[in-house]
Amino acid sequence: MDKNSGEAYDFHHLEHVKEQSKSRKTLWITLILTLFFTVVEIVGGLLSNSLALLSDSAHMVSDVVALGLSMAAIYLSTRQPNAKYTFGYLRFEIIASFLNGLALCVIAAGIFYEGIRRFIHPEPLEFGLMITIASIGFVVNLVLTIVLSRSHHEEENLNIQSALWHFIGDLLSSAGVILAAIIIYFTDWLFMDPLISMIIGGIIFTGGAKILRESTRILMESVPEKFDLEEIRKELGKVEGVEDVHEMHLWAVSTDHYSLTAHMFIREDIQPFCIILAANEMLKEKYGITHSTLQMEHATIHPHGEYGKQFLLHREERRN
């Protein structure tokens, strides 16, 4: 019986789960530190009346939400597949990344809007508090960026990548706030506060758009960028006994879990099981694809309409 759905389920030979102890530990540390500093920065931003600081605190709020989603994705990815979710819960990692990327873009738009408003109506700032909070934020964000960067190198995870972009944005935000505070202190150019915040917004938007694009590709089940579908089709065609490869699909369930399906016309004089074994071995050794479904067909029995008729015609021409 499947403990999640209460239904009998014949589990697949491959477990669609993702154990990421390093990522989980990293996100817990990051979440606790981020939550603490977010409160500090919101209070500091309100007291100092700095848009650059407030824009950074708004981004920090999104970090807390993003990290929460990432934590949920990592815990769900460890759950076993069941009769309803036969691929397990790996796809939630991508959904969380999509929401994180969308949040980054929305926050950037809000920063642009407020920046334009403050260009038109400049507001006074509390320099001392502004630069103090920004300096603390710079140190915190630098530490968290390094921690997340190391974790991302050890365990590939789109959620860690999206969190890393959040904190790169935060690091630049803190640096920008410090720069704005120093310039304003020596020149009284109040427009530097919204100007720096809008530059920060542009960087945040760039990172969000990148995460949004990558997660959308996976959700749309496009061929992962690391693979050349035509090249793989040709390699399958080189397997002894394979005459044609068609109805081929390759997609990512999660960032490093790939699935492939294909139909193949094969010669009648070769055992299909031998072809499947050789094809699967090639996919695993050459491309790292371990989850494939290959359907063996004879064109005279499974012609696939006009496609099969043309295949049989060309095959007959080659034989003659």
Side-chain angles (χ1 to χ4, degrees), residues 41-305:
E41 197 166 40
I42 289 174
V43 174
L46 291 172
L47 292 176
S48 66
N49 198 33
S50 166
L51 175 61
L53 199 56
L54 284 171
S55 67
D56 190 34
S57 67
H59 190 204
M60 294 291 281
V61 171
S62 80
D63 290 341
V64 174
V65 176
L67 289 168
L69 283 170
S70 297
M71 287 298 301
I74 284 180
Y75 276 101
L76 281 172
S77 68
T78 63
R79 293 182 62 181
Q80 293 286 343
N82 55 52
K84 188 171 184 179
Y85 297 99
T86 56
F87 275 107
Y89 297 83
L90 295 175
R91 187 54 66 88
F92 189 78
E93 174 192 330
I94 310 306
I95 295 172
S97 298
F98 177 87
L99 294 175
N100 285 342
L102 187 61
L104 284 168
C105 293
V106 171
I107 288 166
I111 292 171
F112 277 119
Y113 173 81
E114 185 63 19
I116 293 170
R117 190 186 72 79
R118 290 218 182 181
F119 262 122
I120 300 170
H121 304 290
E123 298 182 10
L125 304 170
E126 177 59 47
F127 168 79
L129 187 58
M130 177 181 174
I131 197 167
T132 300
I133 298 296
S135 298
I136 296 171
F138 182 83
V139 174
V140 172
N141 289 320
L142 179 61
V143 171
L144 293 178
T145 299
I146 293 171
V147 169
L148 286 167
S149 179
R150 288 179 177 175
S151 176
H152 182 59
H153 284 303
E154 290 184 30
E155 292 180 347
E156 185 180 356
N157 186 317
L158 194 57
N159 272 302
I160 293 292
Q161 184 181 337
S162 62
L164 181 59
W165 264 106
H166 274 274
F167 284 98
I168 288 173
D170 285 338
L171 183 63
L172 293 172
S173 294
S174 298
V177 174
I178 294 170
L179 178 62
I182 293 171
I183 293 174
I184 292 169
Y185 179 77
F186 286 106
T187 64
D188 285 331
W189 292 348
L190 293 178
F191 70 85
M192 288 303 299
D193 183 52
L195 177 62
I196 292 293
S197 70
M198 291 176 73
I199 293 173
I200 294 167
I203 295 168
I204 292 171
F205 186 87
T206 300
K210 183 175 184 293
I211 297 297
L212 206 56
R213 183 171 61 252
E214 290 180 13
S215 56
T216 299
R217 283 200 189 111
I218 296 177
L219 290 173
M220 291 297 293
E221 298 189 343
S222 65
V223 176
E225 288 189 329
K226 66 183 291 184
F227 297 118
D228 183 333
L229 195 66
E230 183 59 24
E231 177 191 320
I232 297 175
R233 190 188 70 82
K234 289 179 179 178
E235 289 299 318
L236 284 171
K238 294 177 183 177
V239 175
E240 185 180 0
V242 176
E243 294 188 305
D244 180 77
V245 181
H246 52 279
E247 290 289 342
M248 185 173 171
H249 303 278
L250 174 59
W251 70 99
V253 179
S254 184
T255 46
D256 57 355
H257 283 61
Y258 307 107
S259 290
L260 178 144
T261 63
H263 293 204
M264 298 190 291
F265 288 147
I266 62 172
R267 282 167 33 197
E268 290 87 343
D269 61 330
I270 295 184
Q271 275 285 346
F273 293 118
C274 296
I275 298 174
I276 292 174
L277 182 63
N280 279 329
E281 192 66 22
M282 182 277 293
L283 290 171
K284 179 181 178 181
E285 294 298 324
K286 193 162 188 176
Y287 300 103
I289 299 172
T290 57
H291 188 265
S292 58
T293 305
L294 305 174
Q295 180 166 311
M296 305 293 103
E297 300 174 335
H298 295 305
T300 53
I301 303 173
H302 306 96
H304 286 273

